[in-house]
Amino acid sequence: MPNPKGFGVLADAPAASATARPNGPKEKIKDRHLQEADNMNGIINILTIKPGERPERLTIDNTLEAKQKLVGGCIEAFGLMDGACIYCNEEGKIDGMPLNRGITMNDATGEGGDELVEIMAGTFIICGFNPDSGEDTSLTPQQAEYWMRRFHEPETFVQTMDGSIRAIPIR
């Protein structure tokens, strides 16, 4: 059942944890407290991105098993520039999963251009990450919105005449 901010619920979580996020001047502090509250409840708000589809907001149990179920196998982490983290199937390419989205240097570091540094294969998820605790957290509303926009369009991949690979949005 979706909550007011559009996150679907996959977790066995109390309904109170699916409340709307605030929009105010102290938003970052409130967002951090809400992330911590969700994490204490054992749930996190994430995005899931399936090949050929638009991103979807979900609330899941913050467990290894829940993440593995979504990506279809053992997970591999890939850090993003704003403190978010991708989890993908670590053998997605080996297992022949369909290519999904390209990750650029800008996605990974916040610097650079649209040069691809990785191509995700199969379904992947994006969650927040707390470097102090080493724990996954809910995405902040800003992170969720940014990555929803960034990965809004499915992509296909082509090799150019110079041998580089480019991600092309499918509209």
Side-chain angles (χ1 to χ4, degrees):
M1 123 175 83
N3 74 19
K5 278 305 238 187
F7 284 95
V9 177
L10 286 184
D12 293 328
S17 68
T19 56
R21 299 300 193 225
N23 293 317
K26 298 181 182 177
E27 189 171 311
K28 287 187 180 186
I29 293 170
K30 289 179 183 179
D31 289 344
R32 178 58 123 190
H33 291 303
L34 288 167
Q35 283 179 309
E36 291 169 2
D38 284 347
N39 203 34
M40 287 174 48
N41 288 329
I43 60 169
I44 55 174
N45 295 322
I46 67 161
L47 297 178
T48 182
I49 297 99
K50 297 177 182 176
E53 297 182 22
R54 293 190 170 152
E56 180 182 2
R57 297 175 191 235
L58 295 176
T59 299
I60 65 167
D61 290 323
N62 191 8
T63 64
L64 175 63
E65 295 79 15
K67 295 166 192 153
Q68 287 177 328
K69 183 176 180 181
L70 286 170
V71 304
C74 293
I75 60 173
E76 178 179 1
F78 190 93
L80 297 171
M81 55 94 179
D82 64 351
C85 179
I86 287 177
Y87 285 111
C88 62
N89 184 311
E90 72 178 357
E91 295 184 345
K93 291 179 193 143
I94 294 169
D95 290 345
M97 291 181 165
L99 297 180
N100 190 341
R101 303 294 202 283
I103 307 301
T104 66
M105 182 63 77
N106 189 57
D107 296 331
T109 66
E111 300 175 4
D114 60 357
E115 172 190 348
L116 289 180
V117 295
E118 182 62 82
I119 298 174
M120 296 292 131
T123 298
F124 66 95
I125 66 171
I126 303 176
C127 62
F129 181 75
N130 181 336
D132 296 331
S133 68
E135 296 288 326
D136 294 325
T137 63
S138 289
L139 290 168
T140 66
Q142 296 82 9
Q143 288 172 319
E145 184 61 32
Y146 178 84
W147 296 111
M148 286 282 289
R149 280 193 321 270
R150 167 61 183 90
F151 293 120
H152 183 72
E153 299 293 336
E155 296 175 340
T156 192
F157 301 91
V158 298
Q159 187 170 12
T160 64
M161 294 295 285
D162 68 2
S164 64
I165 297 176
R166 304 279 303 170
I168 308 296
I170 302 171
R171 300 188 198 274

